[in-house]
Amino acid sequence: NLRPFFGKTRAARLSTDLMDKYRDRRTGGGCTDATVNRELSIMRTAFHNARKRTPPKVNIVPYFPMVKENTVRKGFLTDAQYSKLRDSLPHELKSLFVCGYITGIRKGELLNIRWPQVDFESGIIALEPDETKNREGRSVPILEGDMRDFLLESKTERDKNWPDSPWVFNRSGRQIKDFRITWDEGCKSAGVPDLNFHD
């Protein structure tokens, strides 16, 4: 996104006004201010690094306009909405949604869970230190009901169809990497169109 807009701009001619135009274009296309902040921060870091060189690659670091972010999540589900969304999602997302809803495990952590980490006998999912956001391992319980039922169903399906796949949350044995489109479609069908996965 940065290259098409700024790619032909000389460093000495980069201005705050130009960055404001970039923000207007990105947010006008549906991007959040938080995303634009992340993108501009890449350029800001590049300018600061360039200025520290000997000799400096740039003489002036322009002011980078950052907008205050509101990252508070406001999405909630009633029990009825939970059931409706669960039933509206495609088969491969049901267990992912249920486990995320019940345990609060982060999306990235969920998608990296492998079957050796799931112990039905002790009723525990072990999250490895190198796969958690804070680099600390922890265990979460496998609760009776939807969570255990969907995980057991996924395990049975995996053992039957693609026994060599290590991924708990998968599409035909392949690790799920992105599910935004199917998530959005399921949320619309369930009547909660603005719900984020980690709300």
Side-chain angles (χ1 to χ4, degrees), residues 21-169:
K21 289 179 182 177
Y22 175 75
R23 182 179 296 277
D24 289 343
R25 178 176 294 187
R26 293 287 285 138
T27 55
C31 218
T32 66
D33 278 318
T35 297
V36 181
N37 282 352
R38 299 292 85 72
E39 293 170 349
L40 290 179
S41 70
I42 294 171
M43 274 206 312
R44 181 173 61 184
T45 299
F47 266 80
H48 281 291
N49 287 342
R51 191 178 179 193
K52 293 175 184 175
R53 304 299 295 175
T54 305
K57 305 274 185 197
V58 297
N59 294 318
I60 297 174
V61 176
Y63 171 72
F64 284 79
M66 298 295 174
V67 173
K68 186 175 180 181
E69 301 172 20
N70 181 7
T71 57
V72 176
R73 295 295 176 189
K74 298 179 179 178
F76 296 93
L77 292 176
T78 64
D79 289 341
Q81 288 173 324
Y82 158 78
S83 298
K84 193 169 183 180
L85 178 53
R86 177 199 61 204
D87 297 340
S88 296
L89 290 170
H91 175 70
E92 71 270 14
L93 290 188
K94 291 184 189 294
S95 61
L96 177 69
F97 164 63
V98 167
C99 288
Y101 179 84
I102 291 174
T103 66
I105 299 175
R106 295 179 179 94
K107 179 175 67 174
E109 295 173 353
L110 282 169
L111 295 177
N112 283 322
I113 294 175
R114 297 169 174 82
W115 282 115
Q117 296 170 245
V118 181
D119 187 340
F120 288 107
E121 188 173 333
S122 62
I124 290 293
I125 297 175
L127 299 178
E128 306 296 342
D130 61 338
E131 294 176 347
T132 62
K133 187 173 182 179
N134 59 10
R135 301 300 182 199
E136 294 180 5
R138 67 185 191 280
S139 296
V140 294
I142 300 172
L143 301 185
E144 293 294 333
D146 276 358
M147 183 179 179
R148 184 177 176 84
D149 293 345
F150 276 99
L151 283 173
L152 283 170
E153 182 181 325
S154 296
K155 180 70 162 54
T156 301
E157 184 179 33
R158 174 260 194 176
D159 291 347
K160 179 181 177 181
N161 298 311
W162 36 84
D164 294 331
S165 173
W167 306 108
V168 172
F169 305 110

